[in-house]
Amino acid sequence: MHLWSEAELGIAIHAPPLTAFTSSTTSVFLGLKALGAAKGIGQLKPENVEVHFIVASCENMISGDGMRPGDIITASNGTTIEVLNTDAEGRLTLADALVFAENLGDVDYIVDLATLTGAIIISLGSEVAGMWSSSDELSDMLMNASGSTGEKMWRMPLVEEYKEMLKGSISDLKNIGGREAGSITAALFLQEFVKSTPWAHIDIAGTAYPGKLGKASGYGVRTLYKMVSDLSEKAK
């Protein structure tokens, strides 16, 4: 099973309206959560379960080599992507990480965590993470683990009709789908980079760094730990 997360640092060029994201520390803490889960699961030493953690981190400071609106980039699987908003850069890193994870071979499940969209904060606030999955089985495992740990999660829909919003006219995909259903189109974008492995995406933009705490929550570590523990018990 592959559980992985991404972190990013830097500044993006984008046009108004602006969202409330003003600090790169949220993304840094996200990568640390993946490492935190890795530490906990490593100490658990689950029997009959092999877990790989991938932290797809990168620097994205403005430079002469930085992305510009209108650029077309090619993902590692050959998919071309038109960059319409450079502030939607995390999903480009995530896309390559998904391809990398699946290409490792003999993968049973892929789970990604990302502080991906401001839209999920509008939808579910800072107490509940949004979760999308191509597999009812994997979704149930995550929901059960989430319920046991108290880390609230809500399964969101992968609306096929919304894929049209991501289709490019001069590329295979666009990196944003517009203002409508932003967290759903972001999940649909990621789904394009998983061929057949059961996959789940958890958007923790709201839960990772809730304002009322004033610090990182560690959201996701307990859920992933519990899920792996459950898988290990089931495999005995």
Side-chain angles (χ1 to χ4, degrees), residues 17 23 42 54 65 84 86 88 91 100-101 109-110 117-118 128 137 159 163 167 182 185 188 205 219 224 228:
S23 172
I54 302 167
D65 297 326
L84 295 182
T86 59
R91 65 196 64 184
F100 177 86
Y109 307 106
I110 297 175
T117 69
V128 185
E137 177 194 13
V159 184
K163 287 184 177 181
K167 287 186 177 179
T185 55
L188 289 169
Y219 183 98
L224 296 182
V228 172

Side-chain angles (χ1 to χ4, degrees), residues 1-2 98 101-103 105-111 133-135 138 191 194-200:
M1 180 174 66
H2 294 273
L98 284 168
E102 192 167 38
N103 284 344
D106 195 25
V107 181
D108 296 312
Y109 307 106
I110 297 175
V111 179
S133 182
S134 61
S135 162
L138 178 55
Q191 189 182 26
V194 182
K195 292 180 180 178
S196 58
T197 305
W199 156 80

Side-chain angles (χ1 to χ4, degrees), residues 51-236:
V51 185
H52 294 252
F53 291 85
I54 302 167
V55 180
S57 60
C58 63
E59 186 73 76
N60 70 346
M61 292 292 289
I62 294 173
S63 74
D65 297 326
M67 290 188 303
R68 297 170 175 81
D71 282 355
I72 295 178
I73 64 173
T74 303
S76 59
N77 67 348
T79 300
T80 56
I81 305 163
E82 183 181 7
V83 177
L84 295 182
N85 188 330
T86 59
D87 200 28
E89 82 288 23
R91 65 196 64 184
L92 304 177
T93 306
L94 287 165
D96 277 347
L98 284 168
V99 173
F100 177 86
E102 192 167 38
N103 284 344
L104 291 175
D106 195 25
V107 181
D108 296 312
Y109 307 106
I110 297 175
V111 179
D112 80 70
L113 291 89
T115 53
L116 200 63
T117 69
I120 198 62
I121 303 175
I122 302 301
S123 300
L124 298 178
S126 61
E127 296 291 333
V128 185
M131 185 269 290
W132 291 258
S133 182
S134 61
S135 162
D136 290 339
E137 177 194 13
L138 178 55
S139 173
D140 289 345
M141 285 193 289
L142 284 166
M143 292 298 292
N144 289 336
S146 169
S148 297
T149 62
E151 293 183 326
K152 297 178 182 177
M153 184 182 300
W154 190 263
R155 187 176 185 181
M156 301 285 280
L158 290 164
V159 184
E160 286 289 320
E161 290 82 356
Y162 291 174
K163 287 184 177 181
E164 291 293 322
M165 299 165 67
L166 292 167
K167 287 186 177 179
S169 58
I170 55 175
S171 62
D172 297 318
L173 297 173
K174 299 179 291 186
N175 77 325
I176 57 171
R179 290 186 60 78
E180 295 182 10
S183 61
I184 298 176
T185 55
L188 289 169
F189 177 89
L190 295 178
Q191 189 182 26
E192 292 292 317
F193 298 89
V194 182
K195 292 180 180 178
S196 58
T197 305
W199 156 80
H201 159 62
I202 306 173
D203 192 337
I204 61 173
T207 56
Y209 202 86
K212 69 176 185 179
L213 286 181
K215 58 183 178 181
S217 66
Y219 183 98
V221 173
R222 288 173 294 173
T223 294
L224 296 182
Y225 183 97
K226 175 61 174 170
M227 176 184 166
V228 172
S229 177
D230 289 346
L231 281 169
S232 180
E233 287 296 320
K234 185 178 178 180
K236 287 182 180 179

